[in-house]
Amino acid sequence: MTEHAPLILDVAGTELTAADRRRLAHPLTGGVILFARNWTDRTQLLQLTSAIKAVRDDLLICVDHEGGRVQRFRTDGFTHVPPMRALGELWMDDGQGAKAVAGSGALRATNAATAAGYVLGSELRACGVDFSFTPVLDLDWGESGVIGDRAFHRDPRVVALLAKSLMHGLLQAGMANCGKHFPGHGFVKADSHTEVPVDKRSLKAILADDAAPYPWLSTTLTSVMPAHVIYPKVDSRPAGFSQRWLQDILRRQMRFDGAIFSDDLSMEGARRLDGQVVSYTDAAVAALEAGCDLVLLCNQSVGDGQAVDELIEGLEKAQAQGLWQPSVDSESRRLALLPETLPQPWDELMYQPAYMQALDLLP
């Protein structure tokens, strides 16, 4: 077993190249994140995921597959899972007039959320995908375009219960989960893909509202992804590069012991630390030293993939120079995200009663 494989990388196309195999075989690589460009149909996806596992069977095959507009695979039988806001709206619908029953919407919504998690997880697993970066725990403040209908609700209590229900469905499919974007991306308007968002609220305000689902879900969450957002009243660095956020607050105060993923290091919100532009290697080392177990670099394998190779080489050098040390605990957290059960083949899944019922429950 490798000592610590913190890198989650992407691959360029619908099948592995020699360069992909070389990068995936590297002992610092711990997983792969797939995108829509890696998809043609289910047969091709299963061939790709099988080829990845043939390189190393411990590689974690990941995808951003939340439902709504963030769903990488949309054709050849994949269910169009609704955006999470649809579950929040169902929660609020107790019926009309004499047929209204207080609380009935909440109960239907939690059941539908479990169904959504099961459908999402079981379909992905049938195609060889191990893990999806879901659910979004950000609050729907109505201001953030990048979050928007990806959020369940404005109320953190509703978010926590719907997320827990969705994670129950993922668990039924044999899939771990990832709460994001800690401590909350929903309040700021700026998109951290293209800007560096700044949330000027106090720590007390953030913990009481946006971050509230995290301690409530501390026994259910298997991983967390912090936001590329700066909260200057807490730390000058974005949360994913902040020991204060990751070690003091998330680990010690909220007692979270699962895996922590950085968000994509190529996003604009991760390209500057302390006012200075940083390399991918410097960003990766900073994230790992702050408390991340795993770091993502996305969309850099397209073309010659030089940035990916530079990150692998750079992290090797950083380790040799003592700038970063592998963590046995981090590696254990990565391995814990791998499924422990065999997936159900797609053709069998289509006729499974639990799956068919789950489809009927989706809003």
Side-chain angles (χ1 to χ4, degrees):
M1 185 182 76
T2 186
E3 190 176 8
H4 182 193
L7 299 180
I8 307 294
L9 308 174
D10 64 344
V11 295
T14 55
E15 57 186 30
L16 295 184
T17 64
D20 290 328
R21 287 187 171 88
R22 171 176 52 79
R23 294 165 187 148
L24 297 181
H26 196 282
L28 288 178
T29 302
V32 184
I33 180 169
L34 301 178
F35 292 90
R37 68 170 185 274
N38 303 123
W39 159 263
T40 301
D41 55 37
R42 286 187 287 108
T43 298
Q44 170 271 325
L45 180 59
L46 191 55
Q47 290 172 345
L48 177 60
T49 55
S50 297
I52 292 169
K53 291 292 187 178
V55 175
R56 270 190 26 222
D57 62 4
D58 71 308
L59 290 171
L60 182 70
I61 302 177
C62 315
V63 70
D64 269 325
H65 202 87
E66 307 165 3
R69 55 195 159 103
V70 182
Q71 180 169 332
R72 305 307 185 200
F73 316 134
R74 294 177 172 272
T75 55
D76 199 20
F78 265 91
T79 301
H80 290 192
V81 178
M84 295 302 99
R85 179 185 286 167
L87 295 168
E89 290 171 345
L90 183 60
W91 178 291
M92 302 303 294
D93 183 6
D94 287 337
Q96 300 293 324
K99 294 183 178 181
V101 178
S104 61
L107 295 173
R108 287 197 306 273
T110 54
N111 204 29
T114 299
Y118 183 69
V119 169
L120 186 156
S122 59
E123 291 182 355
L124 288 174
R125 291 211 58 211
C127 292
V129 178
D130 298 321
F131 180 82
S132 178
F133 292 104
T134 189
V136 169
L137 300 182
D138 301 317
L139 305 188
D140 187 2
W141 285 89
E143 297 290 332
S144 172
V146 71
I147 301 302
D149 65 0
R150 297 166 65 191
F152 289 103
H153 203 273
R154 165 63 185 87
D155 189 325
R157 298 168 297 180
V158 177
V159 169
L161 283 173
L162 288 178
K164 187 166 188 173
S165 299
L166 185 130
M167 291 187 285
H168 185 190
L170 291 174
L171 179 63
Q172 289 176 331
M175 183 174 282
N177 60 68
C178 182
K180 60 185 187 184
H181 305 82
F182 176 80
H185 199 313
F187 186 78
V188 291
K189 291 183 179 181
D191 179 354
S192 54
H193 291 85
T194 57
E195 303 174 72
V196 183
V198 177
D199 186 335
K200 297 181 180 179
R201 293 176 298 165
S202 68
L203 175 61
K204 181 179 180 180
I206 296 167
L207 293 181
D209 215 346
D210 295 62
Y214 291 89
W216 292 338
L217 297 171
S218 63
T219 60
T220 308
L221 286 166
T222 49
S223 70
V224 164
M225 176 179 286
H228 287 327
V229 175
I230 295 174
Y231 308 86
K233 291 186 178 178
V234 183
D235 197 330
S236 62
R237 288 189 166 191
F241 302 95
S242 165
Q243 290 188 20
R244 178 85 192 281
W245 277 116
L246 301 186
Q247 296 188 37
D248 295 345
I249 297 173
L250 183 59
R251 289 278 190 226
R252 297 189 185 98
Q253 183 174 330
M254 297 183 177
R255 303 179 69 182
F256 174 70
D257 193 42
I260 301 177
F261 288 87
S262 82
D263 206 341
D264 176 17
L265 297 179
S266 71
M267 292 165 58
E268 187 62 27
R271 302 300 294 126
R272 289 174 175 80
L273 294 178
D274 304 322
Q276 302 294 317
V277 176
V278 294
S279 68
Y280 293 138
T281 297
D282 290 341
V285 169
L288 292 167
E289 287 298 294
C292 288
D293 302 294
L294 299 146
V295 293
L296 277 75
L297 183 64
C298 303
N299 301 311
Q300 302 305 307
S301 66
V302 180
D304 62 10
Q306 181 179 349
V308 182
D309 293 329
E310 288 177 351
L311 174 59
I312 294 172
E313 294 168 9
L315 197 56
E316 278 186 316
K317 291 179 181 178
Q319 181 180 351
Q321 295 168 357
L323 300 176
W324 166 73
Q325 293 300 320
S327 166
V328 174
D329 289 340
S330 289
E331 182 64 6
S332 296
R333 294 181 185 116
R334 180 186 77 85
L335 294 173
L337 299 176
L338 290 164
E340 297 180 355
T341 59
L342 292 174
Q344 189 153 19
W346 186 279
D347 290 344
E348 294 180 16
L349 179 67
M350 294 300 102
Y351 294 97
Q352 183 201 55
Y355 173 80
M356 296 171 71
Q357 181 190 26
L359 289 178
D360 289 341
L361 290 171
L362 295 179

